[in-house]
Amino acid sequence: MEQKPQNPVRQETEVLLSVVFPTFNERGNVAELVKRLDSTLSAVAWEAIFVDDNSPDGTADAVKAMAQRDPRVRCLRRVGRRGLAGACIEGMLSSSAPFVAVMDADLQHDERVLPAMLAKLQSGDCDLVAATRYVEGGSAGSFSKKRGKISRLATLITRHVLGTSLSDPMSGFFMMRRDVFDGMVGRLSPVGFKILIDIATAGEGLRIAEQPFSFGTRQEGESKFNVQIGVEFLGLLLSKLSRGLVDPRFIFFAIVGAIGIAVNLAVLKVSLLAWPLSFELAKSVATLFSMVSNFLLNNSLTYRDRRLRGFGLLRGFIGFCLFGAVGAITDIGLASQLYGDHEVWWVAGLAGSVMGVLWNYAMSSMFIWRTR
Ligand code: GDD
Ligand code: MN
């Protein structure tokens, strides 16, 4: 029988849908995920993109072992970085398909709604479909009571603050047109956990549809949700409120600074009780305490994705203090000069402090917690 000539470039298997799975310690789930995609998306040309932040459990190895046998599976391994939002963004950026989905890799997001989401996008009536737990037909049943409360509270705040119509803005499960994503990616923040809110509020006139699903129970591994992620989320909200003018990272830096002032005053009060005669000694102790607490808080919050450890932590702290000292000199110098020129004490004082904070932030970002 004569063989039909085949064009190697245009095949029927042009990928229609990329499914991005951010992973951190999900080794036990990845094979099952691919199996489930395979059976749910039997009528669709799909690919799975796993974005792994160098999980210590060897998730990347497990994915690559699959990828060797199955060209629909790909692994993007990121080293020296952490963060859900950034992982999702990079995964989507690596797609060439017209549609991209993002979902958790722990089997909590029900993959069986993917075909319905795809159909909604293909109808051309919307740019993004958010899978939601809070509309008719959806459920957040498997969340613990406490986590459920936190999630609902965050949802309420978000809806009011951002004025988004999304019924479940906290969801990390959605599908969208890739061209729309590509157009807005420059405005997205890689910091934090809540990529969907960021996307939904980044584009004017984005047409959003919803797809109910029920949130499953995690089978393998554990959730990475924690207090820090909650605080990071606040930063994202504030940044959105400033219409993206202020970087979320700077907001954390400023919050940490404000906490530092409180620490400083509290320690000063206690130290004055201990050394009533020496204000200088008491104030020095207070300043040391607030430097340490500022440094550690910035390390685990503001620069969480570039966290310093071990010897790097010590070196970072020394640098932080040195830059801080230069910042203080800048602050005092500018304030004194302005005061000399205009004699309005608070304008001079405030301008000095703002300069000092900006200096410290710039130096911290560029030199102490620089990207490797
Ligand atoms: N690459 C990468 N880097 N992946 C990560 C990271 C990270 O730093 N942190 C978490 N992940 C992956 C997990 O491996 C999982 O696939 C997915 O992101 C969600 O993380 P979980 O730890 O399972 O989060 P959760 O179940 O507590 O949170 C879920 O509910 C939220 C709604 O309140 C997620 O669906 C969130 O996306 C959702 O917003
Ligand atoms: Mn989960």
Side-chain angles (χ1 to χ4, degrees), residues 99 104 133 139 142 156 159 193 227 359:
F99 302 105
D104 288 0
R133 298 163 289 181
S139 120
S142 81
L156 207 75
R159 277 210 225 143
F193 224 56
V227 176
W359 160 270

Side-chain angles (χ1 to χ4, degrees), residues 47-86:
E47 67 174 350
I49 302 169
F50 290 85
V51 187
D52 185 64
D53 285 355
N54 213 18
S55 305
D57 77 344
T59 305
D61 289 338
V63 174
K64 287 184 184 185
M66 276 191 294
Q68 273 284 300
R69 286 173 272 116
D70 188 341
R72 297 171 305 180
V73 177
R74 282 201 283 139
C75 177
L76 195 75
R77 178 176 167 214
R78 307 197 306 165
V79 176
R81 284 185 293 159
R82 270 299 299 277
L84 182 51

Side-chain angles (χ1 to χ4, degrees), residues 26 104-106 108-109 143 147 215 218 222-224:
E26 303 287 3
D104 288 0
D106 57 1
Q108 285 191 287
H109 289 163
F143 255 162
R147 182 74 201 275
F215 197 59
R218 194 180 245 285
E222 54 189 41
S223 167
K224 282 95 206 167

